[in-house]
Amino acid sequence: MKLFLASSFAEVSELFVTFDHSECVAKTVTFIATASIPEKMTFYVDAGRKALESLGLLIDELDISTAGEDEIALKLARNEYVYVSGGNTFYLLQELKRTGADRLIIEQIKSGKTYIGESAGAVVLAADIEYIGALDDSRAAPDLGSYASLGVIEFYPLPHHTNFPFKKAVEQAQHEFSEHLDLRPFSNAEAIVMEDGCDKLLKK
């Protein structure tokens, strides 16, 4: 697996270049901004898109809330990278499960495709997302049957550590879940990367 997990991709895009070990120019990325749909503030979506473009990547937009399984499978398979932006983790997981995109993304990750997850896009890789309830409103996903998530990683990413306006919410999540979950808090200036079964924290 090759994973790059960020709180704010636009702020750490240079770390991705170091991590990726390859030439990004003219490669394509499946850009999934579905998590932002229920949110009022979505500036980070455009910031992430521009950061990818500045690296020379070509954007292939995919909204899994409206796309069919065939379109989702096609775009995930044909592009070199998968990017899942921030937003509401519960809504994102609901749509991933409803469309079968969760299974398709897991297959792509296991095949070795690089996955870039920003905030919600990072959290959704954990085995369960209940712990993120202090940061995200679960009411955005009324049809989400359980908090069981993709389970690609064994730890639990906790984005926006020390960053406004999530500082207190992150502290609440740490207080409630740190005793029984392997929480990995990381700030907007950091990224958690995983390659060859090893994970580490990168800082700007």
Side-chain angles (χ1 to χ4, degrees):
M1 295 190 299
K2 194 172 180 181
L3 311 174
F4 184 91
L5 310 181
S7 290
S8 173
F9 182 78
E11 296 182 56
V12 294
S13 59
E14 64 267 36
L15 295 179
F16 177 72
V17 175
T18 303
F19 163 73
D20 191 46
H21 312 304
S22 67
E23 178 61 62
C24 297
V25 175
K27 290 185 177 179
T28 55
V29 52
T30 304
F31 188 87
I32 302 172
T34 303
S36 69
I37 291 174
E39 303 292 279
K40 292 181 180 179
M41 299 289 288
T42 61
F43 64 90
Y44 48 86
V45 174
D46 193 44
R49 185 186 293 109
K50 288 179 178 177
L52 291 167
E53 291 174 337
S54 72
L55 299 179
L57 286 162
L58 305 176
I59 307 296
D60 189 3
E61 303 271 357
L62 174 62
D63 179 6
I64 58 172
S65 71
T66 57
E69 186 170 351
D70 289 345
E71 180 186 357
I72 295 171
L74 176 64
K75 291 197 173 191
L76 289 173
R78 76 184 180 193
N79 297 322
E80 284 94 345
Y81 301 90
V82 179
Y83 181 100
V84 181
S85 82
N88 187 289
T89 312
F90 296 101
Y91 180 78
L92 173 61
L93 182 59
Q94 172 184 279
E95 296 307 296
L96 287 169
K97 288 182 173 181
R98 182 183 63 80
T99 60
D102 57 343
R103 172 181 53 79
L104 295 169
I105 288 175
I106 291 170
E107 289 175 358
Q108 291 297 316
I109 291 173
K110 289 184 175 179
S111 74
K113 185 163 292 185
T114 300
Y115 177 96
I116 307 165
E118 178 188 44
S119 193
V123 173
V124 81
L125 294 187
D128 188 287
I129 65 168
E130 181 183 6
Y131 75 100
I132 210 67
L135 284 75
D136 290 344
D137 188 351
S138 62
R139 292 174 296 181
D143 299 323
L144 182 60
S146 79
Y147 296 143
S149 197
L150 275 63
V152 171
I153 54 179
E154 295 182 357
F155 58 90
Y156 295 78
L158 187 54
H160 310 298
H161 181 236
T162 72
N163 298 122
F164 177 84
F166 298 104
K167 185 176 183 293
K168 289 185 177 180
V170 170
E171 291 172 352
Q172 181 182 334
Q174 289 178 297
H175 176 73
E176 293 180 3
F177 294 97
S178 60
E179 287 189 9
H180 56 279
L181 294 182
D182 180 11
L183 295 180
R184 301 288 182 87
F186 62 115
S187 74
N188 289 5
E190 298 172 324
I192 299 173
V193 299
M194 174 173 277
E195 191 171 15
D196 300 326
C198 298
D199 64 86
K200 61 182 177 179
L201 184 69
L202 301 183
K203 300 181 180 181
K204 288 178 61 177

